[in-house]
Amino acid sequence: MSDEYEKAFDLRYLKFIYLLTGIVLLLVVLSSVSLSEVWSHARQIGWGIAVVFGLFMVAFVLDAYSWQLTLTTLPMNLTWLYRMWKVRMAGEVFNMVVPAATMGGEPLKAMLLKTHYGVDYHESIASLVLARTINLIGLILFLVVGFYFMLSNEDVPVSTKVMAGVGLAVLTVATGLFFCVQRWQWFSIAGTRISQWKIGTFLAQALEHIKAVDQRFVRFYSRHGKRLAGATALALFNWIIGIFEIYYTMIFLGHPISLSEAWMIEATAQLVRAGTFLIPASIGAQEGAFMLIYTAVTGSPELGIAVAMTRRFREILWLTWGALVGLRFSMRSKPSTLAGP
């Protein structure tokens, strides 16, 4: 058995383990609630699923626009926004199902930008990393407010508050380090030192690519402050839209809550998703988070699972759409740099 085959086999094995872990979590969560009551709640959503889907689409478009701001060489027009939206649609299918810290679809996005729209790999890779960093910064700002609402809520157990605080601290430190690596070219510095060793001579070519990407990081952070601020604001607003998704879902289910409670619930869900990135789509973990936080806020774990089911249904619809967009890309044989969107 070759080394390449063994590595591929190990990767598939790990993917199976992560997926199996999520399924087990989901079964444990479902076994602790009344499924008939969950279904009774969930069926009340009715036409409200269209509102939920519409809110998510708005958030996705804002996310694509935030990403577009990091590509400083491209024009800021609707044609390119539409192109960025399509590429994100195709790539996010992989991000949702591949256990790679929601980064599984990033190489696909870079490839689509290059092959279909002629965007240089260095530019696309830098923009994807920048967009991910900005998205994380927006998420942290969002989570800080949600954590404040959690601390202010007496119904939430102290243990949950402690775990949320630790999770937020870890995510903040990790994001800060991720930013520093880009802003001060730590990869290039480390690569330069390693390449001076005998065992590091083979890294010379790879180092050139790293430096090319690093230079784009520095240029963006030092010369495009307005774009950075705008992209961060859009990223934050994108997360805030999730609050209204929770808020209106609860109205449609006949159990309205306050916006502060909706913020706390959405922040908890996103923090859990960030912490369980190895599990595809955070299956099981997200349902467990909804069950726990809804039990604290409303006293009904079944209501939390019903909301989680609504979100999963929305995700399935979105992934189906993204898969169709990806299929259309695969059927196009020629780059469309000069063609229409």
Side-chain angles (χ1 to χ4, degrees):
M1 182 182 294
S2 66
D3 292 340
E4 292 77 8
Y5 182 80
E6 289 179 355
K7 290 178 181 178
F9 179 79
D10 290 343
L11 182 59
R12 290 196 298 269
Y13 183 73
L14 286 175
K15 290 178 181 178
F16 176 76
I17 292 295
Y18 297 142
L19 178 60
L20 183 61
T21 301
I23 293 174
V24 171
L25 284 173
L26 181 61
L27 292 176
V28 170
V29 170
L30 294 180
S31 67
S32 62
V33 297
S34 169
L35 295 181
S36 60
E37 187 175 344
V38 169
W39 176 245
S40 177
H41 286 306
R43 63 188 300 182
Q44 295 180 46
I45 190 70
W47 63 270
I49 191 64
V51 176
V52 171
F53 192 82
L55 285 170
F56 186 72
M57 184 170 183
V58 171
F60 201 87
V61 171
L62 291 178
D63 201 31
Y65 187 47
S66 177
W67 178 26
Q68 187 182 6
L69 284 170
T70 65
L71 277 162
T72 58
T73 59
L74 299 183
M76 295 298 298
N77 55 37
L78 291 178
T79 296
W80 274 101
L81 176 59
Y82 178 51
R83 291 174 175 177
M84 304 295 283
W85 176 82
K86 289 196 300 179
V87 171
R88 273 193 60 77
M89 284 288 290
E92 287 306 305
V93 174
F94 284 84
N95 279 343
M96 287 291 292
V97 299
V98 175
T102 68
M103 295 291 283
E106 306 311 285
L108 175 63
K109 295 175 188 176
M111 183 196 70
L112 291 176
L113 283 176
K114 174 63 176 180
T115 58
H116 291 277
Y117 301 122
V119 180
D120 179 75
Y121 276 125
H122 293 149
E123 291 289 340
S124 60
I125 292 172
S127 74
L128 286 164
V129 175
L130 286 167
R132 180 64 61 182
T133 307
I134 291 169
N135 188 267
L136 286 172
I137 293 172
L139 176 60
I140 289 171
L141 296 174
F142 174 78
L143 293 177
V144 167
V145 179
F147 186 57
Y148 169 77
F149 288 137
M150 180 180 288
L151 291 177
S152 303
N153 193 308
E154 297 180 354
D155 296 326
V156 179
V158 175
S159 58
T160 301
K161 295 177 180 179
V162 171
M163 288 189 293
V166 171
L168 178 57
V170 171
L171 181 62
T172 301
V173 172
T175 302
L177 291 174
F178 192 39
F179 171 80
C180 290
V181 165
Q182 301 163 48
R183 181 63 182 84
W184 288 283
Q185 299 178 283
W186 287 0
F187 271 139
S188 293
I189 294 172
T192 299
R193 292 181 178 177
I194 293 174
S195 66
Q196 294 172 354
W197 305 344
K198 287 185 178 181
I199 61 173
T201 53
F202 70 95
L203 294 175
Q205 186 175 1
L207 181 59
E208 293 303 316
H209 294 296
I210 293 174
K211 286 182 176 179
V213 174
D214 270 355
Q215 288 169 1
R216 286 167 171 79
F217 292 150
V218 175
R219 184 165 60 243
F220 181 81
Y221 287 128
S222 60
R223 300 181 185 177
H224 299 283
K226 290 183 179 180
R227 282 180 177 252
L228 174 60
T232 304
L234 287 172
L236 175 58
F237 191 63
N238 177 26
W239 293 113
I240 290 176
I241 290 177
I243 300 170
F244 293 98
E245 182 180 335
I246 293 292
Y247 180 78
Y248 284 110
T249 297
M250 292 300 290
I251 290 177
F252 292 128
L253 293 180
H255 293 78
I257 59 176
S258 66
L259 284 174
S260 62
E261 289 174 328
W263 196 311
M264 179 181 66
I265 291 169
E266 179 65 8
T268 301
Q270 294 303 334
L271 185 58
V272 169
R273 286 188 71 107
T276 57
F277 58 84
L278 289 176
I279 300 176
S282 290
I283 185 171
Q286 178 173 270
E287 285 72 18
F290 273 115
M291 183 184 71
L292 291 175
I293 197 67
Y294 270 92
T295 300
V297 174
T298 68
S300 172
E302 287 79 11
L303 195 57
I305 301 300
V307 175
M309 285 181 59
T310 301
R311 177 156 290 188
R312 288 301 184 192
F313 183 68
R314 182 262 284 163
E315 289 177 356
I316 291 171
L317 290 177
W318 197 260
L319 288 175
T320 302
W321 192 359
L324 293 174
V325 172
L327 179 63
R328 186 182 178 194
F329 269 121
S330 68
M331 296 172 64
R332 293 165 60 178
S333 58
K334 295 180 180 181
S336 57
T337 307
L338 301 178

